[in-house]
Amino acid sequence: MTTVRTPSKTRVRREYGVVTLAMIAGAALMLAASGRVWVTGSFSSPGPVAPVPVEVTGGELAGALSGLGWAGLAGIAGLYATRAWARRVVGALIVLCGVFALTTLWSATRPDALIGAIADLATDTAGTGEVVGTPDVHALGPLMGAAGGLLLALSGLVALVRAPAWPGMGNRYDRDAAPRPHQAETPADLWRSLDAGDDPTLDAPGDGTPTATAPVDRAEPGDDTEPAPPADRPAESKENH
């Protein structure tokens, strides 16, 4: 008969931390890549005018890249604030963000897309003309964006499978999640309860809970009802001398 060993809390927390760091790194790479120059080219206008150098950033080529990076950072907060099946939904959304970033990068770095981006950007500043020569691609920007999208997709996939077992805000600060075995009576018990996320003052003596008291009949102001007469005492018998 084989025994099934459950992963320790330390292992689960370490797994959660590694995946969270991977998400942060992926989103940060995507945001940094969107601000870098990805391609440079020359644009020539009609007439005796020298070609104009044009630089195109990742945000201009793939405008959705920075938005997907911010969405990945928001997904980290969503994983911490939710629990159970809701975490799986957040993990699936993070996977979609990573996959969509990779497909956007693929389509934005095609040769025809690069030439069209240079022409559109130069036309806004230099007027009509055409792109001269072949655009020069700076590989660092696209590689950073691709690495960020891949990290985001893989970490989201792990979260889709493992996130319900990770710690979070929902199951740490829920006072009714599990009953306390006993009430904190010593300073050591008090600190242990605080470390566990429990409120040691719940159900404590003197917590303000009203106690039942015997009703007291009191005459209200303006009440014309006369109080009941006192009970007659038995008359003492007098002996006639």
Side-chain angles (χ1 to χ4, degrees):
M1 177 174 162
T2 59
T3 58
V4 179
R5 296 182 179 180
T6 58
S8 63
K9 292 183 179 180
T10 304
R11 178 181 174 184
V12 172
R13 291 181 180 275
R14 185 182 299 114
E15 178 186 84
Y16 177 42
V18 170
V19 175
T20 301
L21 289 177
M23 290 181 183
I24 295 174
L29 283 172
M30 292 166 60
L31 291 172
S34 64
R36 295 186 62 88
V37 176
W38 286 19
V39 61
T40 57
S42 297
F43 187 81
S44 178
S45 300
V49 180
V52 178
V54 180
E55 295 181 345
V56 185
T57 63
E60 293 167 339
L61 279 172
L65 191 63
S66 60
L68 293 171
W70 287 115
L73 292 178
I76 299 173
L79 286 176
Y80 183 70
T82 56
R83 67 173 76 182
W85 63 269
R87 284 185 165 182
R88 296 186 187 275
V89 174
V90 176
L93 293 176
I94 295 176
V95 173
L96 291 177
C97 287
V99 172
F100 187 54
L102 292 175
T103 56
T104 302
L105 288 170
W106 173 260
S107 61
T109 52
R110 299 296 88 206
D112 54 345
L114 297 177
I115 295 175
I118 293 175
D120 293 340
L121 186 62
T123 301
D124 295 339
T125 57
T128 60
E130 61 181 4
V131 179
V132 179
T134 303
D136 296 328
V137 179
H138 303 273
L140 182 59
L143 287 177
M144 289 174 60
L150 185 60
L151 274 175
L152 208 61
L154 293 178
S155 57
L157 185 61
V158 176
L160 178 63
V161 178
R162 295 286 302 155
W166 293 344
M169 180 176 63
N171 55 13
R172 178 175 177 81
Y173 295 102
D174 189 1
R175 298 194 298 185
D176 298 330
R180 299 193 308 277
H182 57 79
Q183 184 179 314
E185 297 178 353
T186 63
D189 294 337
L190 178 63
W191 286 112
R192 280 194 291 267
S193 298
L194 291 174
D195 291 337
D198 295 333
D199 187 355
T201 62
L202 290 179
D203 301 329
D207 58 354
T209 304
T211 57
T213 57
V216 178
D217 292 335
R218 295 181 179 177
E220 298 292 337
D223 190 0
D224 297 335
T225 305
E226 296 182 357
D232 296 334
R233 295 183 180 180
E236 296 181 0
S237 58
K238 296 181 179 180
E239 295 181 359
N240 294 326
H241 299 284

